[in-house]
Amino acid sequence: MDSGETYSASLIRLWRVYRTTKEMCYDRGYDVAEEDMKLTLQDFAARYMREDGEPDRSKIHFSAIPSEAMMKKYTPIPTAKDPDPTPQIGTIWVEFNADENVGLKQLRDYMQHLVNGAYYSGVMVCTKAMTGMALRLLRGSSSLAEGPKGGVEVFVEQDLLVNITKHELVPKHVLLSSEEKKQLLVRYRLKETQLPRIQVTDPVAKYLGLRRGQVVKIIRKSETAGRYASYRWAI
Amino acid sequence: MAPKSILKTPTVSTNAPLSSSTKPVTQRQRNTAIYHANIISQQKNVENEVLEAILTLLDFPASPDADPSRPSAPDALRFQELIMPFQPSDYDSLLEERNLNGSCGYALCPRPKRRAPSTARKHFRDTTKGVEIVDKKMLEVWCSDDCARRALYVKVQLNEEPAWIRQGGASEKIELMVDNAEEHHNALPLRLKRETAKATPKILHDDEDDAAAAWAARDDALADLAIERGEKPGRLSKANKDLITAQIKERVGNAPPVPPSLPSQTMGPSHMAIEGHIPGSAGRAVPVSDEEEDDDTQDWDKHLPG
């Protein structure tokens, strides 16, 4: 803190991206060390700076395992056919891609890596937006046999510079488990199609990694009621 | 007894399944829905096809010492097949992906792309019109100008129309700029490059005839197949004919069109006309109306009693 050392702009940028990524994993429910989220710039530089002052992206990749609570949340309701369902979540692999442009080849290599490492899902953070064809592959990847089970998410560094959920105007989003979702529908005598919706491409939905069909509870401040909860069905 | 509601009793409860509350769909509505659903699914299939083709073409050609000017017959044929559903924009994506991979944009060229003279973002380039400033990326698309010409020769032949709304897509064929067209004959003869044909017209003449004959035979076979499938020639094969019920009738004129002409103002007593009719006394000056007047008087005489 006291040192007058100045760091390169790209290092500071990546430090902020790194912290937001860690916070994102924590907010989703993965086990993330407290000190990782609060990593100072000095420590970050000490760990990941190359000699020329630029960050070394190949060292920053990390994996995270889901916490107990998250496992529970992602476990579907047991049925007669499947009395002991497996949780729909697993280890996540976060990679910071150093390439200037990410195309089909990089994305395919990344998917291959996820499958080889037996990761359930993956997050790729790239410096610039991907090519159009890579986006097309990504869109179809959930149905693709070669990709990982939990799918791949791609973020641009630009979007992770700031943690959007910390903004004053962004209300709290809480993901409901399938059990909670069922109770909600019974309580209000609704079908899920009658809920308000949220797109999975919504910034907060992307941050939380929502999947189609999940329900989030949104808790806002209200002048009259104190707190006001509403529910959104991710589509 | 429960208090009676003053509201209208809803015929359908809100919790009832959706199908019962909606109006019964007519066959026509159902057909329309299916028709559009088919279009969307076709579109999805084509997009996947293009994606698969690009993935394949990324690692093209298979052998590292292939010559773009003389591609092997199977390579060329495969390239032509894969490129078929492309639009020009898809082709641009292919170039982009290949460049990201570090190879020349032309899919039949195994060489790496050209390197710009420096790492500057913009470069000067001498053209016939003078010096141009271009992006570094623009310089690094191809391995040589020759490859650029070959690749763009393919691009200009691509159909602007997306593949899912093309009619009878099998008929069109992408030509390649190749020097060894003779080798491709056994697969399917390529239409020959014009320059080579001009340079040695005598030797290639027989070959050319053969090629034309083979193409004609292939077209005939395709037409036969289409008829066998139950298609009428020149019809869209996948079109849903149920939706089109109206009969289209052209109004064909059997007489050649005649330009409208103004009644002449100078000659004839048009100023005397009352709603187009010229009264008898004035009409005598005009010879045509003169005869009519005579007829009239005769008729008038005939009908006179006595």
Side-chain angles (χ1 to χ4, degrees), chain B residues 31-45:
Chain B
N31 283 350
T32 311
I34 290 173
Y35 174 73
H36 287 284
N38 276 337
I39 289 180
I40 293 171
S41 88
Q42 265 181 30
Q43 181 176 351
K44 246 174 121 178
N45 289 344

Side-chain angles (χ1 to χ4, degrees), chain A residues 184-202:
Chain A
L184 169 80
L185 296 180
V186 168
R187 168 73 181 77
Y188 289 107
R189 292 208 225 158
L190 294 171
K191 285 188 278 102
E192 56 184 6
T193 51
Q194 290 169 315
L195 286 171
R197 302 179 185 192
I198 186 171
Q199 285 191 319
V200 284
T201 50
D202 180 279

Side-chain angles (χ1 to χ4, degrees), chain A residues 2-233:
Chain A
D2 48 43
S3 72
E5 202 178 350
T6 52
Y7 299 104
S8 68
S10 58
L11 186 86
I12 297 171
R13 255 176 88 93
L14 194 66
W15 167 64
R16 296 174 61 167
V17 171
Y18 175 81
R19 275 184 42 161
T20 313
T21 316
K22 283 281 184 184
E23 282 164 7
M24 184 169 82
C25 287
Y26 177 77
D27 285 343
R28 288 182 185 194
Y30 292 100
D31 273 333
V32 178
E34 182 82 23
E35 64 264 25
D36 274 347
M37 284 191 291
K38 298 227 159 66
L39 192 67
T40 60
L41 181 56
Q42 276 77 18
D43 292 343
F44 183 78
R47 273 202 230 168
Y48 302 120
M49 192 168 71
R50 285 192 312 222
E51 275 161 19
D52 58 354
E54 293 297 307
D56 188 359
R57 284 192 168 79
S58 61
K59 278 193 199 161
I60 314 179
H61 310 329
F62 64 89
S63 71
I65 49 169
S67 61
E68 281 295 314
M70 191 187 193
M71 291 281 241
K72 226 175 182 177
K73 192 171 262 192
Y74 275 86
T75 310
I77 304 169
T79 54
K81 211 175 184 183
D82 187 11
D84 190 21
T86 52
Q88 305 285 310
I89 199 71
T91 320
I92 194 171
W93 174 250
V94 182
E95 186 166 314
F96 293 79
N97 195 303
D99 293 340
E100 195 184 329
N101 286 304
V102 178
L104 278 176
K105 187 165 179 287
Q106 284 86 346
L107 189 63
R108 239 181 359 160
D109 290 348
Y110 180 63
M111 281 175 164
Q112 202 53 50
H113 174 75
L114 289 179
V115 173
N116 291 344
Y119 294 107
Y120 190 84
S121 56
V123 165
M124 179 149 75
V125 182
C126 37
T127 50
K128 274 190 196 151
M130 287 194 304
T131 60
M133 277 298 145
L135 279 174
R136 208 186 268 187
L137 177 66
L138 192 69
R139 239 185 299 147
S141 66
S142 49
S143 59
L144 226 61
E146 58 178 288
K149 262 184 285 177
V152 179
E153 293 161 64
V154 175
F155 288 90
V156 185
E157 282 188 3
Q158 177 83 44
D159 296 345
L160 290 174
L161 283 179
V162 177
N163 189 341
I164 52 165
T165 56
K166 300 251 168 94
H167 193 277
E168 183 184 87
L169 292 178
V170 178
K172 195 172 184 224
H173 289 59
V174 184
L175 176 65
L176 299 190
S177 69
S178 37
E179 179 64 36
E180 286 165 331
K181 179 181 161 186
K182 197 178 137 204
Q183 280 170 0
L184 169 80
L185 296 180
V186 168
R187 168 73 181 77
Y188 289 107
R189 292 208 225 158
L190 294 171
K191 285 188 278 102
E192 56 184 6
T193 51
Q194 290 169 315
L195 286 171
R197 302 179 185 192
I198 186 171
Q199 285 191 319
V200 284
T201 50
D202 180 279
V204 178
K206 262 169 49 184
Y207 179 89
L208 290 176
L210 294 190
R211 302 173 192 164
R212 274 195 69 171
Q214 287 180 328
V215 174
V216 274
K217 180 179 186 178
I218 300 176
I219 304 162
R220 303 174 194 279
K221 284 197 205 90
S222 161
E223 274 188 14
T224 47
R227 276 186 309 168
Y228 176 80
S230 62
Y231 300 87
R232 296 284 147 95
W233 187 43

